[in-house]
Amino acid sequence: MLAAMNLVSKRIIIADDSRSILRLLTLGMERAGYEVVTACDGLDALQKIHDQLPSFLITDIEMPQMTGEELCLAIEQSFPDRTFPIVVMTTSTNESHRHWASKISNTTFIEKPISVKRLVAHIDRCTTENQP
């Protein structure tokens, strides 16, 4: 389990069931100097987080196998001392999504369509603030 606690400083996990979103975000994050690991759903993302902690997680809400909400709750349970930020993204403007996301520490909620430039700037700020 020690390998799971190793945090890679510029490693981002992106969880989304849309291949086009994964491609777009991966390209933008890699251009900004981040190592990107993609996941097709929350369950896939959770396994990758257990394998090696990221410096940042970007997740969609509506995904098969495990939703973004279920993923965030599983992370809170598995990693109660988590320091990596989470961005929850969705096309839905459902107020209940904002409610649960606001209750999870170090989590930001954003609506699609996403500006990759703004997302990179947000991640840069967050990862800089979280460095020792």
Side-chain angles (χ1 to χ4, degrees):
M1 253 331 172
L2 285 178
M5 296 311 290
N6 293 335
L7 181 69
V8 176
S9 64
K10 301 261 306 184
R11 181 173 185 259
I12 296 175
I13 295 177
I14 303 172
D16 200 306
D17 58 329
S18 167
R19 292 177 131 181
S20 60
I21 294 291
L22 286 175
R23 275 193 305 270
L24 175 70
L25 294 180
T26 297
L27 183 60
M29 297 303 119
E30 286 178 343
R31 283 184 178 162
Y34 290 95
E35 173 193 341
V36 176
V37 176
T38 61
C40 60
D41 59 45
L43 195 57
D44 188 24
L46 187 60
Q47 180 58 53
K48 290 174 179 178
I49 291 166
H50 277 282
D51 291 345
Q52 186 172 37
L53 291 177
S55 56
F56 210 95
L57 170 66
I58 302 168
T59 183
D60 188 21
I61 293 178
E62 300 299 327
M63 297 181 290
Q65 303 298 316
M66 177 184 274
T67 67
E69 179 178 3
E70 292 166 336
L71 171 61
C72 290
L73 294 173
I75 290 168
E76 286 285 287
Q77 185 173 28
S78 297
F79 303 98
D81 298 324
R82 165 186 68 87
T83 59
F84 63 87
I86 298 173
V87 166
V88 177
M89 56 183 185
T90 186
T91 55
S92 172
T93 56
N94 188 327
E95 193 61 37
S96 67
H97 291 318
R98 291 179 190 277
H99 181 70
W100 69 257
S102 71
K103 292 188 176 288
I104 297 175
S105 67
N106 206 7
T107 301
T108 306
F109 182 91
I110 59 173
E111 291 178 20
K112 294 178 184 175
I114 295 168
S115 163
V116 175
K117 184 177 180 179
R118 285 187 180 154
L119 184 58
V120 167
H122 175 72
I123 291 170
D124 286 345
R125 273 192 312 277
C126 289
T127 54
T128 301
E129 291 169 3
N130 285 334
Q131 288 181 352

